Amino acid sequence: MSSTTDTNLTRRVAEAMGVRDGAAVASFLMPLYFICTLLPISLTIAGQSLSPLRVLLLVLFIPFAARILQGKVGRVTPVDLLMAAHAAWIFLALIVVHGTSRIPYAGITVVELVGGYLLGRVLVRGVDDYRRMIRFLLNSLIFLLPFALIELITGTIVIAEIVGNVFETISRGRSAYGRMGLERVYAVFAHPILYGLFCSLAIANLYYMARGKGFLRFTGMLFATFMTFMSLSSAPLLACMLQFMLIAWDKITKGKWKLLIILSITFYVVIDSLSNRTPVTILIETLTFNASTGWTRIAIFEYGMRNAMANPLFGIGFNDWVRPFWLTSSVDNFWLFTAMSYGFPAVIFLIIAMLIHFAASMRAQLKGDDRLRIRTGHLITLAAICFTLATVHMWGAAAVFVMFYIGSGAWIYTSESALRDADDEPIEEDSGSSTYARGQAEPRYTRFAPSNKRQDRRERR
């Protein structure tokens, strides 16, 4: 696919809304993506349920994948290739299990699972883009606040009630029963857990982006935590708790993350050796709202692993899994669900991609304290979410956003403007100018332009 073709494709969505300047396309697509995320509507066309978010991903998937693989948004990384392998294996596994008649379902599954990564990878190309993304996330939470409060008290999914007469939308399920005299909040997501995960992604990012403003730091964190709390779900609250703990560790030890990793491994081995229960079992039993819920998740893991081991290469696809009659069909473990559904290669590709993303981000020699703080916030949030996904599954708009979040951090190790050269003076902040602006318009800087001509030439390269 030629560069002209893929660029034109990505512009058509913007041009339909009157946005024609190439430098403004990426700035237009970011808010459009968040709007699509917050629209709990869909229509069934040719047997496929199409939401605004799915339509956006379908339009942008191929051109954005082409831009990444052609190296137009920074160098191609092992993470990019592993995500491509993850997508290809899912598609192959579903065709092997279900046959060619299910190709449309296989395609939409891949687009939804990996499309978010592509959007994050292309639309977030620097520190300014990343800040913009977190601001959109914060504004999304502010927008959802009044609807969430009403739902917390009354159980009415307000936005779904408004759009339900025209579109297919979300509804309250049996599993999301009230707790503590309150109703669990869906807001615009298919389940309270998904709503909670979405909200929890803001906590550490808001803390590290506040840049020393103590009141704003803690106000932002507490607001995001309260929004997460309204899900009344243990998994999102676990993500909150882990972020607070990691932030505290960073403050106390001045970022001695290798020591934390060594201590965590040691602690796991000791507990596993001295107890008749695994550390994961202890964690699930301790941190769930309901003890029976914890035992159910343990049983799900045991029987789910049996299904995965029985179908190690291509998984079971969309088929039901073998389990006792008393066990729910829900698989509350994203990593296990991926192995069960698409085979171990699919989850291995994804796990290795995540490990490389962490390692590359931590090794990147960034210039400026601002970038260092934002990197810390990004990785703390991602670590908490990855850990939490061992206790819960994700799908739909929330899953797309988590993948988007992974892609949004790739600039840390791919953007030349973010990396420190030996003879560069550290600066606090420069613009992560839009990829589409390069070669078409002068970069726009929010605070300072590059410090020298060599830096400026490298930005345009």
Side-chain angles (χ1 to χ4, degrees), residues 375-389:
R375 174 178 64 181
T376 302
H378 173 79
L379 293 181
I380 283 178
T381 302
L382 191 56
I385 291 297
C386 288
F387 189 88
T388 302
L389 288 178

Side-chain angles (χ1 to χ4, degrees), residues 44-86:
T44 300
I45 301 175
Q48 288 283 359
S49 178
L50 294 178
S51 65
L53 181 57
R54 277 189 171 183
V55 172
L56 182 67
L57 293 173
L58 285 168
V59 170
L60 298 179
F61 188 90
I62 292 178
F64 275 23
R67 293 191 69 83
I68 293 171
L69 295 177
Q70 291 170 1
K72 294 182 178 179
V73 287
R75 59 185 178 83
V76 178
T77 70
V79 177
D80 298 329
L81 299 179
L82 286 163
M83 294 300 290
H86 175 67

Side-chain angles (χ1 to χ4, degrees), residues 120-132:
R121 181 75 166 82
V122 173
L123 296 182
V124 182
R125 293 299 311 131
V127 66
D128 286 347
D129 289 335
Y130 192 88
R131 284 184 171 277
R132 187 180 302 115

Side-chain angles (χ1 to χ4, degrees), residues 56-380:
L56 182 67
L57 293 173
L58 285 168
V59 170
L60 298 179
F61 188 90
I62 292 178
F64 275 23
R67 293 191 69 83
I68 293 171
L69 295 177
Q70 291 170 1
K72 294 182 178 179
V73 287
R75 59 185 178 83
V76 178
T77 70
V79 177
D80 298 329
L81 299 179
L82 286 163
M83 294 300 290
H86 175 67
W89 194 269
I90 290 174
F91 188 82
L92 174 64
L94 291 175
I95 298 304
V96 169
V97 173
H98 297 290
T100 55
S101 63
R102 304 300 293 272
I103 285 180
Y105 293 92
I108 197 67
T109 300
V110 168
V111 166
E112 195 164 57
L113 287 175
V114 184
Y117 173 81
L118 302 182
L119 261 66
R121 181 75 166 82
V122 173
L123 296 182
V124 182
R125 293 299 311 131
V127 66
D128 286 347
D129 289 335
Y130 192 88
R131 284 184 171 277
R132 187 180 302 115
M133 182 264 290
I134 298 300
R135 283 196 295 269
F136 277 121
L137 175 58
L138 177 59
N139 290 335
S140 298
L141 300 190
I142 294 172
F143 168 77
L144 292 176
L145 175 61
F147 304 109
L149 287 172
I150 294 172
E151 186 178 351
L152 182 70
I153 303 301
T154 67
T156 301
I157 309 177
V158 179
I159 297 177
E161 289 286 330
I162 295 172
V163 302
N165 292 329
V166 180
F167 300 99
E168 299 171 13
T169 188
I170 58 177
S171 60
R172 188 167 291 276
R174 294 180 181 178
S175 63
Y177 48 83
R179 290 170 173 163
M180 300 182 292
L182 301 171
E183 297 294 334
R184 299 175 69 186
V185 172
Y186 288 69
V188 293
F189 295 93
H191 196 280
I193 289 175
L194 303 179
Y195 159 79
L197 286 177
F198 178 78
C199 296
S200 69
L201 285 162
I203 294 172
N205 282 291
L206 291 175
Y207 176 82
Y208 283 98
M209 280 178 56
R211 292 191 291 188
K213 301 175 182 178
F215 177 77
L216 292 178
R217 275 184 166 185
F218 289 103
T219 300
M221 290 175 66
L222 292 176
F223 171 66
T225 302
F226 175 68
M227 292 294 290
T228 305
F229 166 79
M230 286 192 282
S231 69
L232 300 180
S233 299
S234 55
L237 292 175
L238 173 61
C240 294
M241 183 185 71
L242 288 172
Q243 288 179 71
F244 278 105
M245 292 172 63
L246 291 173
I247 291 171
W249 175 270
D250 184 38
K251 293 291 290 183
I252 294 171
T253 68
K254 307 300 182 183
K256 295 182 179 179
W257 301 112
K258 291 182 180 179
L259 175 62
L260 178 62
I261 294 172
I262 294 171
L263 290 176
S264 299
I265 294 173
T266 303
F267 178 77
Y268 185 96
V269 172
V270 170
I271 295 297
D272 193 45
S273 301
L274 299 180
S275 175
N276 58 357
R277 297 176 295 168
T278 67
V280 174
T281 300
I282 296 173
L283 180 69
I284 291 174
E285 291 175 355
T286 304
L287 297 178
T288 52
F289 274 106
N290 190 322
S292 63
T293 301
W295 283 106
T296 299
R297 285 178 175 167
I298 294 169
I300 287 172
F301 182 81
E302 292 176 355
Y303 286 97
M305 186 58 70
R306 294 181 189 179
N307 280 259
M309 294 299 293
N311 305 272
L313 201 56
F314 299 111
I316 62 174
F318 301 131
N319 295 320
D320 199 7
W321 55 296
V322 179
R323 63 188 185 278
F325 71 91
W326 49 266
L327 193 58
T328 175
S329 62
S330 175
V331 180
D332 294 327
N333 185 320
F334 170 75
W335 309 108
L336 175 61
F337 180 88
T338 302
M340 283 176 55
S341 300
Y342 318 116
F344 282 105
V347 74
I348 290 172
F349 288 141
L350 184 57
I351 290 174
I352 295 176
M354 296 298 299
L355 292 175
I356 293 176
H357 178 81
F358 274 100
S361 297
M362 294 176 71
R363 288 199 307 266
Q365 297 296 311
L366 301 183
K367 59 181 180 183
D369 290 340
D370 191 52
R371 289 182 174 83
L372 295 173
R373 286 193 298 269
I374 288 176
R375 174 178 64 181
T376 302
H378 173 79
L379 293 181
I380 283 178

